[in-house]
Amino acid sequence: MKLRSYMFIGFFLSLLLTFLPFSSNFINAATPAAVAPVSAASFTQGVKKTVLDNGLTVLTKEVHTAPVVSVQVWYKVGSRNEVKGENGISHQLEHLMFKGTTARPVQFGRLFSALGSQFNAFTSYDETAYFGTVQRDRLEALLTLEADRMENSLIGAEQLTSEKRVVISELQGYENSPGYRLSREVMRDAFPNRAYGLPVGGTKADVEKFTVEQVRNYYQTYYSPENATLVITGDFATEPVLKVVKETYGKLAKRSQQGNVRGNVAPSSPVTPTTKKAPIVLKQPGSAALLQAVYPLPDIKHPDVPAIDVMDAILTGGRSSRLYQALVESGLASSVSGGAAELIEPGWYEINATAAPGQELSKIAQVLQESLGKLQQQPVTTEELNRAKTQLQASYILGNQDITSQATQLGYNQTIAGDYRFIEKYLAAIAKVTPAQVQKVAKTYLNPAKQTIGFFEPTQPDGKPGTSSAGSGRTVENFSPGKPIDPAELAKYLPPATSATDSAKQSLPEEFTLNNGLRVLLLRDRSLPTINLSGQINAGTEFDGNQKAGLANLTAANLMNGTQTKNALTLAKTLEDLGADLSFSASREGVNVSGEGLSKNLPILIQTLADVLENATFPADQLELSRQRALTGLKVQLDDPRGLGRQVFQQAIYPENHPFHSFPTFETLKAISRDDLLGFYQTHYRPDNTTIAIVGDFDPVKVKTLLNQSFGKWQATGKPPVLKISSVPLPQTSTRLNKIIPGKAEAVTYIGYNGISRKDPRYYAALILNQILGGDTLSSRLGTEVRDRLGLTYGIYSDFAAGINPGPFLIQMQTAPGDTQKAIASTLALLKQLREQGVTEAEFNTAKRSITNSYPVDLANPSNVSSIILDNAILGLSRSEIRDFPRRIQAVTMAQMQQAIEDLIKPENLVIVTAGPGETVPKGG
């Protein structure tokens, strides 16, 4: 169940470009109560719709929960509007919209970053959207910049040439994914004569042929006020802002001639085949076997849409769903997911499954068809129906806790459904869906004769990357980087901010410790009827050791598989009946706990958490299923240049006896026993090893009572295990490693060495240093040089992975095979330049402002706040750190910055790891 995630299908121009699933004693869960309609007033209440004389639709919604605002511009144009020979032109134009305007001939990412904006853009089937969220005093500045690029974007030969290379790099990155390649073939076969059948990002062949005139004409046709919706949500006063909007956008002229706009009239219904088509079979290098099935659907305004989405929730909505039970719990598949693409034109329903090791795709397809047939033949139960409705309704409330998401909901509904109030009718209709309607849509749309199904059958030995080579650290070329961008030069293009925002008003959490040693942080937030829970248990993979690598992950993955009173399905239903979620995942330094739900369901969330932490039973049958999923996941990781590259990089930095060196292998995963899990659980899952942070709408007194009642019997004896982690020196010389993965189109490179911990006194200086170097893909030195000027990569960023213990300093980039050496050489040249010349005062001050100005945006999302509060506590920082962080950044001096560069930037001691196609390896190297 993707819950209308198709609004985000497309290809994202992201800030960091970091990339990326769902016993014998059976006790019946309580049957979910009948579902009352969720009031959509919270989504649309207070929204004011204004249409300017030039046709621009403006939606404004005041939300005064935090001193931030979100500005989004949605253009009603996407891959649906493309014709043969120009597949990907909408996406190419999205990239060019960041290259500057006639009045501001600079990279717009630098302008947004200087404002402290958290910005992004995406292209999808029906729309292209641009959005930024900033402190409220920068609202007018953001409006000015978006209006400028609506009419005056630079689309010239120089901009198109460099950005074509970036787009091709992006497309080659997608080619690394077997799932992407399978989906492309299935969609082309399902929609042979429609633009929806083409990949949103385009094809390399078409992108290479785009001309300046072609892209400019496309811009002139579609980026016109009457084809756009401007959405503003957040902490502002409507009337003064509308005055600014009319002054800023009102002068923009209509440009498009509606008669020339392609794709605005829905096509005739596609011809339905009368016999079932044979499966598409791809036999290519890869790891896991994949299945994708697609069925045609009507458009978003069709009255069947609510019943289709309820049907999807019944089929794929969580562990209790029909397809999860039929495919994953049976051991046939490692994962299954589904989603309905309900768009301007008739869309599709899609089901995806990853085969478990040794399982045949034909068998999965057979069981899938049996499950769909049963849904068509028998009405669903009241329990299933109510659970699905609750999940759908809760997902909209939980998914709109921050103003950026609220603006996105409004923009999507206005652009795709033609009415920002669509959500009201939709949720009201969800509440009224009947079993008969679900059965009817299953019969109508899940017809085997209408199905297009594809199988991906990997041809390479699973998880066995090809040969590797080690180099001396020399690269093929010497590279002279351009001069760093002068922020003073940038400043003249920045619209002014209106006033300063006081960020010192952030409430601090209350902290206390239960008698058993469990730490709790509570922060009441009554702005929404939601709960966000974050937690950590000191039971991370650092305790694995090389012989039991994967033990911490398997233990965490099995927590929800049964307790002394509830089996796995009962636990799942307990939460899914309420639309709530609770999950566990192991990282290096702990097991992460994540929970969310409506505030009225906090008792169930806490009681379930306490039950699994104290009473997990680790059933043997569930352990075997989770082991198979882990083995599949390992195959996928080793077939992914990002996953394999990061592992090789980490193991090159940390010696074999270091906790950060160990990674699961097929042998260690197969050797882990149930007794190993029980022993690990009993040793490390202790109240005095656990910290919980809760943010949301609750009564603190009642929550304390609830916590004492739920966790009071959980006791620990003796002292918790502690690891002594030795310090890791830098490599004596540069090390170069290449890992070849057959069948890949794009390489991923990691560059770095061991770094610092979070409590290192140089940490705040390191953050500013990182912001300048590679903290932002479009505005940093790395982004400016390697991505923007040279066009060698779609994504490049740097990071100090600072935890309780020092983690790596790293630079990550993705490159076309032929560009890898140039990109590495230019990166090394930039590091040497930084080491030898330092940073300018203007760069230093701009980076500090960018970090502190964007911080309030983080605090505007309750989910982020719970994570920040938890992390600060785990890292041993003060409760006031959430409030003091901007001040600590501002307090860093230029001398401290220069010292951090001297201490932390070591171009001669780098570990460089590239994973991907073999062509990246230097000949003779």
Side-chain angles (χ1 to χ4, degrees):
M1 183 174 70
K2 293 184 180 175
L3 299 178
R4 215 169 290 293
S5 62
Y6 279 93
M7 71 174 73
F8 298 116
I9 286 184
F11 298 82
F12 289 75
L13 177 60
S14 162
L15 293 178
L16 295 181
L17 294 159
T18 51
F19 294 88
L20 357 147
F22 279 88
S23 143
S24 61
N25 294 323
F26 187 85
I27 301 172
N28 285 319
T31 301
V35 180
V38 169
S39 170
S42 59
F43 299 110
T44 58
Q45 188 173 18
V47 175
K48 180 178 175 66
K49 179 180 177 181
T50 307
V51 180
L52 304 190
D53 291 342
N54 59 10
L56 178 70
T57 299
V58 183
L59 302 177
T60 52
K61 180 183 180 183
E62 295 183 28
V63 186
H64 300 288
T65 54
V68 297
V69 290
S70 187
V71 173
Q72 303 190 6
V73 181
W74 290 65
Y75 295 95
K76 193 175 179 179
V77 59
S79 60
R80 174 180 69 95
N81 304 85
E82 297 165 2
V83 296
K84 187 175 181 181
E86 62 176 30
N87 181 213
I89 195 170
S90 304
H91 176 228
Q92 181 70 72
L93 178 56
E94 175 215 315
H95 278 246
L96 288 166
M97 289 288 283
F98 285 86
K99 300 296 276 188
T101 64
T102 51
R104 296 179 174 88
V106 292
Q107 166 58 255
F108 262 46
R110 294 182 208 127
L111 297 175
F112 293 137
S113 182
L115 290 174
S117 174
Q118 294 191 6
F119 66 97
N120 215 320
F122 69 85
T123 304
S124 191
Y125 298 99
D126 293 332
E127 76 275 17
T128 309
Y130 303 83
F131 47 101
T133 303
V134 292
Q135 289 191 78
R136 62 186 172 209
D137 52 302
R138 285 154 177 79
L139 170 58
E140 289 188 29
L142 212 50
L143 289 170
T144 300
L145 292 175
E146 287 294 355
D148 188 17
R149 65 175 175 173
M150 182 179 282
E151 185 170 65
N152 304 309
S153 281
L154 284 174
I155 301 174
E158 182 183 349
Q159 292 84 9
L160 182 58
T161 299
S162 71
E163 214 57 31
K164 270 188 188 183
R165 290 188 73 174
V166 171
V167 167
I168 289 169
S169 168
E170 181 181 357
L171 296 180
Q172 287 177 306
Y174 300 134
E175 289 291 331
N176 281 352
S177 165
Y180 173 83
R181 302 199 300 269
L182 176 62
S183 180
R184 181 179 56 201
E185 297 307 313
V186 169
M187 290 297 289
R188 279 177 176 167
D189 192 72
F191 303 106
N193 302 311
R194 296 181 55 201
Y196 283 165
L198 300 174
V200 171
T203 62
K204 184 171 180 280
D206 279 2
V207 170
E208 286 175 332
K209 293 182 210 165
F210 291 152
T211 65
V212 170
E213 182 182 24
Q214 191 180 10
V215 180
R216 196 179 283 153
N217 286 342
Y218 201 79
Y219 171 65
Q220 293 287 342
T221 300
Y222 291 104
Y223 279 56
S224 187
E226 76 277 18
N227 200 45
T229 297
L230 170 66
V231 187
I232 310 168
T233 57
D235 193 17
F236 64 91
T238 301
E239 292 310 319
V241 165
L242 280 177
K243 185 171 181 281
V244 172
V245 167
K246 288 170 183 174
E247 292 169 353
T248 309
Y249 289 82
K251 60 188 178 186
L252 304 182
K254 290 184 181 181
R255 294 203 303 271
S256 70
Q257 300 296 317
Q258 285 300 318
N260 296 330
V261 176
R262 302 184 295 274
N264 280 343
V265 179
S268 57
S269 298
V271 176
T272 301
T274 53
T275 57
K276 188 175 179 180
K277 294 190 286 187
I280 297 162
V281 179
L282 288 190
K283 294 186 177 182
Q284 297 176 355
S287 51
L290 309 173
L291 174 151
Q292 182 177 36
V294 164
Y295 304 84
L297 286 185
D299 63 71
I300 193 170
K301 293 182 182 180
H302 195 282
D304 283 347
V305 161
I308 290 169
D309 287 355
V310 171
M311 175 192 76
D312 172 43
I314 290 167
L315 285 173
T316 67
R319 188 167 189 167
S320 62
S321 66
R322 290 195 176 191
L323 291 184
Y324 191 99
Q325 289 295 311
L327 296 175
V328 180
E329 291 287 1
S330 68
L332 285 173
S334 292
S335 64
V336 64
S337 63
E342 293 139 350
L343 307 170
I344 291 176
E345 296 174 7
W348 64 92
Y349 182 64
E350 130 185 0
I351 297 170
N352 295 280
T354 302
Q359 297 295 336
E360 294 294 327
L361 291 172
S362 57
K363 176 64 175 175
I364 293 174
Q366 177 190 335
V367 174
L368 169 62
Q369 190 53 56
E370 289 169 359
S371 298
L372 301 185
K374 185 177 179 182
L375 188 64
Q376 294 166 332
Q377 293 153 16
Q378 301 171 10
V380 298
T381 66
T382 302
E383 177 188 354
E384 285 181 296
L385 185 71
N386 290 341
R387 183 183 304 121
K389 291 180 181 181
T390 301
Q391 286 179 329
L392 282 164
Q393 295 177 345
S395 74
Y396 278 91
I397 296 171
L398 294 167
N400 282 281
Q401 294 185 82
D402 61 285
I403 62 160
T404 303
S405 299
Q406 292 176 41
T408 300
Q409 186 74 57
L410 293 170
Y412 180 79
N413 285 337
Q414 182 64 38
T415 304
I416 311 305
D419 180 8
Y420 74 90
R421 295 184 184 275
F422 175 80
I423 183 69
E424 298 177 22
K425 305 165 194 170
Y426 172 81
L427 288 176
I430 288 287
K432 295 176 183 175
V433 170
T434 65
Q437 288 174 311
V438 174
Q439 188 177 13
K440 173 178 172 285
V441 296
K443 285 180 178 177
T444 303
Y445 302 109
L446 302 182
N447 183 340
K450 298 179 182 179
Q451 178 196 71
T452 304
I453 192 167
F455 297 160
F456 180 89
E457 298 178 354
T459 56
Q460 287 296 127
D462 284 333
K464 302 289 184 184
T467 58
S468 65
S469 66
S472 64
R474 290 175 295 166
T475 53
V476 176
E477 306 170 59
N478 287 316
F479 221 92
S480 297
K483 288 185 178 180
I485 298 295
D486 181 6
E489 178 71 13
L490 192 67
K492 69 184 183 184
Y493 300 118
L494 272 175
T498 52
S499 62
T501 298
D502 181 10
S503 59
K505 295 180 179 177
Q506 171 64 41
S507 300
L508 300 182
E510 177 186 0
E511 182 175 353
F512 56 91
T513 303
L514 302 187
N515 292 335
N516 58 10
L518 189 149
R519 292 172 70 195
V520 180
L521 298 109
L522 298 179
L523 183 61
R524 190 176 193 179
D525 179 355
R526 307 195 69 180
S527 59
L528 291 164
T530 59
I531 293 295
N532 291 274
L533 183 150
S534 298
Q536 181 166 311
I537 305 144
N538 298 337
T541 62
E542 63 186 2
F543 289 105
D544 277 355
N546 291 324
Q547 302 307 309
K548 298 290 184 182
L551 176 56
N553 265 307
L554 270 182
T555 305
N558 277 271
L559 287 173
M560 295 292 288
N561 282 341
T563 67
Q564 292 170 12
T565 57
K566 294 180 179 177
N567 69 359
L569 183 58
T570 307
L571 281 171
K573 288 181 177 180
T574 299
L575 297 171
E576 291 169 7
D577 286 350
L578 306 173
D581 182 66
L582 180 65
S583 61
F584 302 86
S585 61
S587 61
R588 283 287 167 197
E589 296 186 331
V591 170
N592 305 311
V593 185
S594 179
E596 66 174 4
L598 303 182
S599 51
K600 64 183 179 182
N601 299 324
L602 178 59
I604 297 292
L605 206 55
I606 293 292
Q607 288 158 8
T608 304
L609 175 62
D611 191 18
V612 298
L613 290 183
E614 188 176 357
N615 303 311
T617 53
F618 303 99
D621 57 341
Q622 289 289 345
L623 169 58
E624 290 313 309
L625 291 173
S626 64
R627 189 198 312 275
Q628 295 305 307
R629 291 194 288 271
L631 289 168
T632 301
L634 180 56
K635 290 176 185 177
V636 172
Q637 177 189 334
L638 296 178
D639 185 55
D640 182 347
R642 292 169 300 174
L644 178 63
R646 181 60 187 261
Q647 176 174 329
V648 173
F649 173 73
Q650 192 109 350
Q651 291 184 325
I653 293 174
Y654 298 103
E656 197 168 324
N657 62 351
H658 194 281
F660 289 6
H661 181 92
S662 71
F663 280 81
T665 67
F666 297 108
E667 291 72 26
T668 62
L669 287 173
K670 289 174 182 176
I672 292 169
S673 67
R674 180 173 179 271
D675 285 343
D676 290 329
L677 264 68
L678 284 167
F680 191 87
Y681 176 69
Q682 290 160 2
T683 302
H684 297 284
Y685 282 71
R686 308 162 46 109
D688 53 354
N689 253 359
T690 303
T691 305
I692 297 170
I694 306 173
V695 174
D697 185 14
F698 55 77
D699 181 334
V701 175
K702 292 181 179 178
V703 170
K704 288 178 188 176
T705 302
L706 175 64
L707 289 167
N708 278 302
Q709 289 173 345
S710 301
F711 289 100
K713 295 179 182 177
W714 192 25
Q715 299 294 325
T717 56
K719 292 186 176 180
V722 177
L723 275 178
K724 287 189 178 180
I725 297 181
S726 56
S727 59
V728 176
L730 295 181
Q732 293 300 304
T733 58
S734 277
T735 303
R736 182 74 198 272
L737 300 169
N738 293 283
K739 285 287 182 180
I740 299 170
I741 310 179
K744 298 304 173 187
E746 179 109 304
V748 175
T749 298
Y750 291 89
I751 300 173
Y753 37 67
N754 191 39
I756 59 174
S757 71
R758 174 61 176 86
K759 294 189 81 172
D760 190 296
R762 299 166 295 184
Y763 175 75
Y764 298 100
L767 271 188
I768 300 166
L769 167 61
N770 188 67
Q771 180 70 17
I772 294 168
L773 174 63
D776 184 304
T777 288
L778 295 184
S779 67
S780 64
R781 285 194 181 187
L782 287 169
T784 298
E785 180 72 16
V786 185
R787 183 196 192 281
D788 213 38
R789 188 171 81 89
L790 301 173
L792 296 174
T793 178
Y794 167 55
I796 185 167
Y797 74 96
S798 63
D799 186 36
F800 285 91
I804 298 170
N805 298 292
F809 161 70
L810 62 89
I811 296 167
Q812 180 191 324
M813 69 178 96
Q814 64 177 84
T815 51
D819 290 336
T820 300
Q821 301 308 316
K822 292 179 187 175
I824 292 172
S826 61
T827 299
L828 298 185
L830 279 168
L831 288 172
K832 289 174 183 173
Q833 181 190 62
L834 181 61
R835 170 79 183 187
E836 293 164 3
Q837 300 175 20
V839 302
T840 66
E841 191 86 36
E843 274 185 302
F844 176 60
N845 291 328
T846 299
K848 289 207 287 189
R849 282 196 300 271
S850 180
I851 294 170
T852 56
N853 288 344
S854 68
Y855 187 62
V857 179
D858 289 327
L859 299 184
N861 186 329
S863 178
N864 288 346
V865 172
S866 69
S867 296
I868 292 169
I869 289 171
L870 175 76
D871 290 344
N872 289 343
I874 294 297
L875 293 162
L877 304 172
S878 164
R879 278 189 309 127
S880 63
E881 175 68 16
I882 192 170
R883 181 185 289 169
D884 296 342
F885 174 78
R887 180 177 58 77
R888 296 187 191 280
I889 291 290
Q890 291 294 357
V892 175
T893 65
M894 191 63 161
Q896 290 171 323
M897 165 61 63
Q898 302 295 12
Q899 187 62 51
I901 293 171
E902 187 175 330
D903 293 347
L904 303 176
I905 301 300
K906 306 284 187 181
E908 307 305 320
N909 304 94
L910 293 164
V911 172
I912 304 171
V913 174
T914 298
E919 307 95 278
T920 63
V921 181
K923 290 180 181 176

